[in-house]
Amino acid sequence: MAEPKWLQDMNPEEYLKEDFEATGHSRYTVDGLEKNDPEWLDKAAAKVNAAEGDDYVKLDSGLLTVNQINWMLRNTFGEMTYVDDNNQFLWYNRPQDPNYKMKAGRVPAQVGNTMGAVHPDIRDVIPTAKKVVHALRTKEGGHDEVWMPVPTGNLTELVLHYYKRVEDEEGNYMGIYEWVQDIYPFVKYFCESTGQKLVVDPDASTGATYRRNSDPDAKTGPSTKAAAAKEEAAKPAEPEATSGASHH
């Protein structure tokens, strides 16, 4: 992924301390359960008597049933996940289409897992994820969001991993919300609607690496990370990393 410079400059001695085993305790941690249990969701829901089905949920600006919330989120554009402040993966919006291959693959059995279990221990996935989490936990340099585009080998695709710091009403860190989606359709729609077109800016100081990594005919070929990411994406669906948190 293409990290912003402020993220690249972070001190690894600090962000690598992030506890991806989730051994701490959040305000809403469900105690007494093994976090990496594939049946964690059902067991945790039963333990806290969670609302479900046609039970109503009063939100700060609405009243919906659990079913309505589920339907809305499953049909929302983009892949979303939520990780709490104890680095425990608590939710994702499962696609409505069972045949849809997620760009940041998740399965129901992962809900409740620690961040260490969610992310594969390959290449620099976990260090990068820890960096993103720590940056948003500490609000590094005043930043409360991270944008990371992922080269896919296709210049008409731009998969964006967007991470947002989640806070309570007092501004306390409560976790990370991640949104993953190919944003090229937005760009294409914008160009078609306004009669504009995309062109390469010869004076641009950014984007060359992305274009090279996404151009199969480039003389230098794709970078090792880009090629590895493309190879990983071509594998059968299985639990895989988000950039971070997501990731997260």
Side-chain angles (χ1 to χ4, degrees), residues 77-78 100 103 154-160 179-193 198:
F77 188 79
Y100 172 77
K103 294 172 177 59
N154 185 346
L155 279 173
T156 58
E157 183 178 48
L158 178 58
V159 176
L160 176 69
W179 184 83
V180 179
Q181 184 57 46
D182 173 16
I183 64 173
Y184 180 77
F186 289 114
V187 177
K188 183 173 181 291
Y189 179 77
F190 174 82
C191 289
E192 291 174 346
S193 300
L198 297 175

Side-chain angles (χ1 to χ4, degrees), residues 69-123:
I69 294 172
N70 271 326
W71 296 330
M72 177 180 65
L73 291 174
R74 289 186 67 180
N75 286 279
T76 297
F77 188 79
E79 301 170 15
M80 298 181 289
T81 61
Y82 177 72
V83 174
D84 73 4
D85 55 319
N86 189 40
N87 291 333
Q88 186 176 12
F89 171 59
L90 295 182
W91 171 84
Y92 77 103
N93 63 330
R94 186 161 57 95
Q96 185 75 8
D97 180 1
N99 298 315
Y100 172 77
K101 182 178 180 347
M102 297 182 70
K103 294 172 177 59
R106 291 289 173 258
V107 295
Q110 286 181 295
V111 176
N113 280 8
T114 64
M115 285 287 279
V118 168
H119 291 83
D121 191 12
I122 57 174
R123 295 186 295 279

